[in-house]
Amino acid sequence: MRRTAAVLAVLAAGAVVLAVLNSGTRHGHLDPRSADPTGSRAVAELLKERGVTTRVVTTAREAADATGPRTTLLVTDPDRLGAGQRSAIRSAIDLSGGRTVLLAPGDHSLSDLSPGVRTEGDAGSDDLDPRCTLPAATSAGRAGTGGDLRYTTALPGATACYPSGGHPTLLVLPTGTTGGDTVLLGSETILLNESLAEQGNASLALQLLGSRPDLVWYLPALADSDPGTGPGEQDKSLLELIPAGWSWALLQLFLAAALAALWRARRLGPLVTEKLPVAIRASEATEGRARLYRKAGAHDRAATVLRAATRERLAALVGVPPTRAHEPAALVPAVSARLTGEPRDVAALLFGTIPSDDAALVALADHLDALEREVRTS
């Protein structure tokens, strides 16, 4: 048992160490440092090869301070932002002179970040054709901009691309500052590692995010969120709340426990009769116990065993329940009724005093045997 506990402790410690070491290299959804299928490391690496520097920020203040004419600001979850954070991002859009890319903004955030634009429900298909004159779209061709939100606007100067059902999934709006613009992208598909190589996703992502030499990648932290609003605040399952890396630790612990259980478990298969090294006959066992009683002078113990065994056999003969075999009031009258010879003190014989010596003990055994024979033959 101690060995098993030690092995489990070592495995648990190893799993925790691995989880801690890996936790620093694993990141979340749409994170440019993450190589997971839903991460965005691939597009960040391609941008790096083209001379675009990517900086990750987690607060609206950092994002606003980092913007400028040479900067592209990507907001990965606009609907998660609180009112103060939306105001800071809106000021950066109006004053920076750079590009701002809002990823799948809903009506909750559009009212502050892009007034005059509203959503028109979900797009019917994932891959769509550009059908616009935007150079980035015509160069990329068909891309995975559908499957999520569509937009509509009456603002002058807006460029609508990748329509689905008559409403664009990509919308480019000029800002008040010369040279600046805002891109509304209805789907995150073109930024994910798992879908970057499909259709013209990589080309479109690189052109939208790589038009300036600096890219500020804004991943809103929990402190920047607006409690109770937006789809980002939906209830999450227990597995979604476990930090990245710890799920692997739990899996390793489960496998270690299963292996330990198999290691310590009995072999599977039918029961096998084990041959005893020595077979002792019942008469020899009885004789050996009698010698031990005699050597110890245990007249009381020997008499008790003799009387108890006799009472149980007599109870079965005279119809007394086994549970009442050792009750004088139940057994003595039933036994006495079966006797036909000389009157005997059945109570003294079955429940009497302890013999004082070996001779009295032998006499008691003889009387009990005679009583049982008489009842059995009556």
Side-chain angles (χ1 to χ4, degrees), residues 80-314:
R80 185 175 182 178
L81 302 182
Q85 288 71 30
R86 294 195 298 271
S87 176
I89 297 300
R90 181 61 199 179
S91 297
I93 293 174
D94 292 336
L95 302 176
S96 69
R99 167 169 286 180
T100 302
V101 179
L102 303 178
L103 193 56
D107 289 328
H108 175 70
S109 59
L110 284 175
S111 59
D112 292 328
L113 299 179
S114 188
V117 180
R118 67 177 188 275
T119 62
E120 284 292 342
D122 296 341
S125 58
D126 294 335
D127 298 327
L128 302 172
D129 294 318
R131 297 181 184 178
C132 68
T133 59
L134 183 70
T138 57
S139 175
R142 190 173 179 84
T145 61
D148 205 337
L149 295 178
R150 301 178 301 164
Y151 301 101
T152 183
T153 184
L155 295 175
T159 303
C161 298
Y162 295 99
S164 174
H167 298 285
T169 57
L170 174 64
L171 198 59
V172 181
L173 305 170
T175 60
T177 304
T178 303
D181 59 13
T182 301
V183 178
L184 306 183
L185 183 59
S187 173
E188 63 189 23
T189 303
I190 67 170
L191 301 182
L192 301 179
N193 293 331
E194 61 184 358
S195 55
L196 185 65
E198 299 174 0
Q199 302 291 339
N201 293 350
S203 176
L204 183 60
L206 293 177
Q207 294 183 77
L208 293 180
L209 301 183
S211 62
R212 274 78 171 171
D214 296 318
L215 171 61
V216 178
W217 200 295
Y218 178 25
L219 297 170
L222 183 61
D224 272 9
S225 63
D226 190 0
T229 58
E233 300 302 323
Q234 295 177 355
D235 292 338
K236 295 184 177 181
S237 66
L238 177 62
L239 294 178
E240 291 175 332
L241 295 175
I242 298 176
W246 288 99
S247 56
W248 291 105
L250 294 176
L251 177 61
Q252 292 177 45
L253 286 176
F254 175 77
L255 293 177
L259 291 175
L262 291 175
W263 170 50
R264 298 296 297 176
R266 297 181 180 274
R267 292 181 179 272
L268 302 178
L271 297 176
V272 178
T273 303
E274 182 181 0
K275 294 183 179 180
L276 297 176
V278 178
I280 302 176
R281 288 179 292 186
S283 59
E284 294 179 359
T286 302
E287 185 177 352
R289 177 175 290 187
R291 288 198 184 99
L292 291 174
Y293 286 158
R294 181 177 182 182
K295 184 176 181 180
H299 303 107
D300 55 344
R301 178 60 180 166
T304 300
V305 171
L306 289 173
R307 282 172 167 154
T310 302
R311 289 196 296 265
E312 291 174 357
R313 291 193 294 269
L314 288 174

